[in-house]
Amino acid sequence: MAENNPIVLPYDVAAVRADFPILQIEHSPGVPLVYLDNAASSQRPASVIDGMTTYYRTYHANVHRGIHKLSEQATEAYEEARKKVRRFINAGNKREVIFTRGTTEAINLVAQTWGRANFQPGDVVLSTQMEHHANIVPWQMLAAEKGIRVLYVPITGDGLLDMTAFERMLANNPVKLVTVMHGSNVLGTINPIRDIADKAHAAGALLLVDGAQSVPHMPVDVQALDADFYAFSGHKMVGPTGSGILYGKRDILEAMPPWIGGGDMIERVTFDGSTWNELPYKFEAGTPSIAEGIGLGLAVDYLSELGMERVHAHEQALTAYALERLIEIPGLTLYGPQDASQRGAVMAFSLDRIHPHDLAQVLDAEGIAVRAGHHCAQPLHSLFSVGATTRASFYLYNQPAEVDALVEALYNAKKRFTI
Amino acid sequence: MDDMYRENILDHGMNPRNKGVLDPATIDYEVTNPLCGDRLRLTLRVDENNVITGVGWDGEGCAISQAAASMLGEEIIGMTVDEVKDISREHVFDLLGIPISQNRVKCALLGLKALHVSLHGLDYWRKQEEAAEDDE
């Protein structure tokens, strides 16, 4: 631990850790678990796990149309979860909060409904070089179908978005949609969303934000950001897998055609055709993942009680400490902004010439879970001189001792892979 | 854990045998594993009796992929193309002599893939992969 700069944490992290069952389990006998793969997925507190089990044990029934007591209870819990999410991200109206299976599904929903209905041949989608595949591939698929082009705003040597290039590309191309991640899952970069929104709107384009790495880690206010679409996943914010949200501004969602057809998203069905249900149900066909929606609501409860300002402050303190210790390691290259205040708690790095697979493997033997590969950002990695990186990512339940454990394991790896 | 990075793996991994492409070569074939950036380029010299007389590897990748390719390369010199066809996935695991977890199978087999695809075609390799998966 750094004696000169004592780390100030906003809450008792030991107490928070006690809420998470998996964190009580050893990796292997005598080896504690150091879980640093939160950008891939987070762990769940007992309240989320138990709440979903309680639903299944005591009030499960199909939602929305039943008159009987169980159906009413299930419906109320599901819709209450939607309202919780609305408050959490400060959406103007609960009709703007659509349940999806995650960020990827949410972005595909927009591409296939808004995109299909609004793009003309020659139109441009402006993405960035740092995007996750979820925010690249759906647009490439649409490009093949609609004759549009996908362009990528470059990043600077510091791993920041090149805003000058962004403005130039906006000015020189018929951009209909700007699509950008709020926080990078590799570089840790936090992008200036409000600034991007203002510029996109001034150029006549809409803005879609991939919020998978931001909503879990900092307060997000979709109205203040003025995003037209905002997508995120439950499993990265202590919620269940298979849950996620697409937020969209009401007038935009109203004008969009539906996506998946079937029950619940309709108002009236005849043999000759059908009319669509109102928002948000127009985009929620079939029996929903009810347990997952309720679980997402419980995750929001947990985070709200802890306070997103404090979660963010906790991560900032950890990030600053981790950066300080990592940069000291000879032969370690850290990607993204070197200034802790400009980044989230995601750290991708290379160490000497050790392949990320081998590094992740030896770290695992010491109980440390990190991720190796391209982290669903192959285009970004093509800009580095290495094909793959190792990534450590922290969350609200990680502690400074785990940074120390990571650093010590990295020094051990250096020794092991020197012949 | 010391299991996985035993001396011989590290040795073959960091100092692979037969490193360096052959030129001229009868076979020159490259495989990649885009999931992690592993790349292996295999060059072979095969004589008129279909005997492999020279092996040369190039590329970059994790210690497991490099070690497996290195060990495999040492073994096939002097074998005929038909004999090489019989080299199984299990044999590569035996050569490595360590437990290979599910996530590292592709690393361990990258060299064998290069060998089989270049000599016997992609379909042959695919069938082997599927047969192995069906067994699970």
Side-chain angles (χ1 to χ4, degrees):
Chain A
M1 280 266 243
E3 288 103 21
N4 298 329
N5 301 308
I7 302 153
V8 179
L9 297 177
Y11 51 75
D12 178 0
V13 65
V16 163
R17 287 178 77 81
D19 292 334
F20 292 80
I22 277 186
L23 299 181
Q24 317 312 316
I25 303 173
E26 283 186 322
H27 169 278
S28 40
V31 181
L33 174 67
V34 177
Y35 187 76
L36 301 181
D37 195 19
N38 293 287
S41 198
S42 61
Q43 301 300 342
R44 284 121 202 53
S47 58
V48 169
I49 300 168
D50 296 343
M52 291 172 71
T53 308
T54 300
Y55 153 74
Y56 275 124
R57 278 182 177 277
T58 67
Y59 63 94
H60 161 73
N62 207 330
V63 296
H64 293 149
R65 275 178 310 292
I67 305 294
H68 59 87
K69 178 178 169 187
L70 287 179
S71 177
E72 290 237 351
Q73 281 181 278
T75 303
E76 194 181 309
Y78 186 69
E79 291 303 327
E80 183 57 38
R82 190 192 306 275
K83 290 179 195 158
K84 288 175 185 176
V85 172
R86 185 204 72 73
R87 286 191 290 270
F88 192 63
I89 60 173
N90 195 31
N93 191 302
K94 66 178 184 190
R95 287 170 186 78
E96 297 174 318
V97 176
I98 298 165
F99 281 113
T100 66
R101 277 185 324 163
T103 310
T104 302
E105 184 170 282
I107 297 176
N108 276 273
L109 191 165
V110 174
Q112 290 177 27
T113 57
W114 184 88
R116 271 210 188 108
N118 288 281
F119 281 129
Q120 303 299 323
D123 283 345
V124 165
V125 171
L126 195 52
S127 179
T128 82
Q129 286 183 338
M130 65 168 79
E131 295 307 308
H132 183 286
H133 295 165
N135 206 14
I136 295 178
V137 179
W139 310 113
Q140 290 178 340
M141 288 166 74
L142 198 62
E145 190 188 309
K146 298 287 287 184
I148 61 171
R149 284 185 306 146
V150 187
L151 301 180
Y152 304 92
V153 180
I155 57 175
T156 67
D158 295 326
L160 301 170
L161 210 54
D162 185 340
M163 292 301 284
T164 313
F166 170 58
E167 291 177 50
R168 191 180 59 239
M169 292 168 89
L170 261 185
N172 295 342
N173 292 283
V175 178
K176 266 269 186 45
L177 179 75
V178 173
T179 188
V180 62
M181 59 201 334
H182 197 156
S184 167
N185 68 315
V186 176
L187 306 168
T189 310
I190 309 290
N191 289 316
I193 296 300
R194 181 60 202 241
D195 190 17
I196 293 170
D198 291 341
K199 295 186 160 99
H201 293 147
L206 293 192
L207 173 65
L208 181 148
V209 180
D210 170 357
Q213 298 295 340
S214 52
V215 174
H217 302 286
M218 58 171 124
V220 167
D221 181 334
V222 293
Q223 290 188 75
L225 294 171
D226 204 18
D228 299 295
F229 300 107
Y230 200 102
F232 56 97
S233 300
H235 74 96
K236 294 197 206 273
M237 51 186 280
V238 308
T241 48
S243 71
I245 297 289
L246 171 67
Y247 158 81
K249 285 182 183 167
R250 185 161 185 178
D251 53 344
I252 300 175
L253 292 178
E254 297 279 18
M256 276 156 61
W259 187 34
I260 295 178
D264 249 11
M265 50 72 70
I266 42 80
E267 186 181 63
R268 189 175 154 74
V269 182
T270 70
F271 288 115
D272 298 318
S274 302
T275 58
W276 313 131
N277 203 347
E278 56 176 13
L279 290 173
Y281 310 112
K282 182 170 74 167
F283 295 107
E284 296 181 0
T287 299
S289 298
I290 304 165
E292 284 67 23
I294 291 172
L296 179 53
L298 292 169
V300 166
D301 286 339
Y302 187 87
L303 293 173
S304 301
E305 193 178 312
L306 194 49
M308 290 311 296
E309 300 280 2
R310 297 205 302 166
V311 168
H312 189 229
H314 177 86
E315 289 188 20
Q316 287 292 98
L318 274 184
T319 302
Y321 181 55
L323 248 57
E324 186 185 301
R325 293 222 58 198
L326 285 173
I327 287 172
E328 277 175 356
I329 303 176
L332 186 134
T333 305
L334 181 72
Y335 299 94
Q338 309 288 297
D339 178 354
S341 66
Q342 289 185 312
R343 63 183 302 153
V346 173
M347 271 145 252
F349 56 88
S350 302
L351 183 63
D352 295 332
R353 288 179 50 85
I354 306 172
H355 193 279
H357 272 175
D358 299 319
L359 193 52
Q361 194 85 65
V362 296
L363 255 45
D364 176 56
E366 298 197 38
I368 301 172
V370 295
R371 187 151 288 252
H374 53 61
H375 318 298
C376 291
Q378 282 185 42
L380 175 62
H381 278 77
S382 70
L383 303 176
F384 307 150
S385 57
V386 294
T389 55
T390 309
R391 180 188 70 186
S393 47
F394 300 85
Y395 202 12
L396 55 93
Y397 39 63
N398 290 118
Q399 48 195 352
E402 294 181 302
V403 173
D404 296 331
L406 171 66
V407 169
E408 189 180 316
L410 290 175
Y411 277 114
N412 288 343
K414 275 176 75 78
K415 274 186 238 141
R416 183 188 276 277
F417 286 99
T418 310
I419 288 197
Chain B
M1 171 57 245
D2 283 313
D3 282 353
M4 211 168 190
Y5 290 100
R6 275 216 313 251
E7 284 311 311
N8 71 324
I9 300 285
L10 277 176
D11 182 28
H12 274 276
M14 310 289 277
N15 304 307
R17 321 301 195 237
N18 300 304
K19 201 74 195 273
V21 293
L22 300 175
D23 183 17
T26 324
I27 298 278
D28 187 342
Y29 187 75
E30 187 169 287
V31 282
T32 57
N33 186 354
L35 283 161
C36 61
D38 283 352
R39 182 184 72 88
L40 273 179
R41 181 178 169 192
L42 165 68
T43 55
L44 295 175
R45 221 170 266 139
V46 183
D47 71 11
E48 60 278 359
N49 296 317
N50 270 335
V51 175
I52 295 170
T53 55
V55 176
W57 295 99
D58 193 19
E60 51 282 329
C62 62
I64 301 295
S65 70
Q66 302 287 289
S70 170
M71 291 176 184
L72 203 54
E74 281 191 315
E75 232 196 15
I76 62 177
I77 295 184
M79 287 176 97
T80 65
V81 168
D82 271 345
E83 283 166 344
V84 165
K85 195 170 187 178
D86 290 334
I87 299 179
S88 65
R89 294 156 57 101
E90 285 65 39
H91 184 73
V92 174
F93 298 145
D94 285 342
L95 275 181
L96 287 168
I98 50 163
I100 301 288
S101 62
Q102 196 61 20
N103 287 336
R104 304 303 296 276
V105 165
K106 280 201 149 76
C107 308
L109 296 178
L110 201 62
L112 188 65
K113 180 177 179 181
L115 201 57
H116 279 174
V117 174
S118 62
L119 291 176
H120 307 294
L122 190 55
D123 271 349
Y124 179 72
W125 177 252
R126 289 254 161 84
K127 283 203 185 88
Q128 281 202 314
E129 272 190 323
E130 271 171 43
E133 273 159 38
D134 287 343
D135 278 340
E136 283 152 26

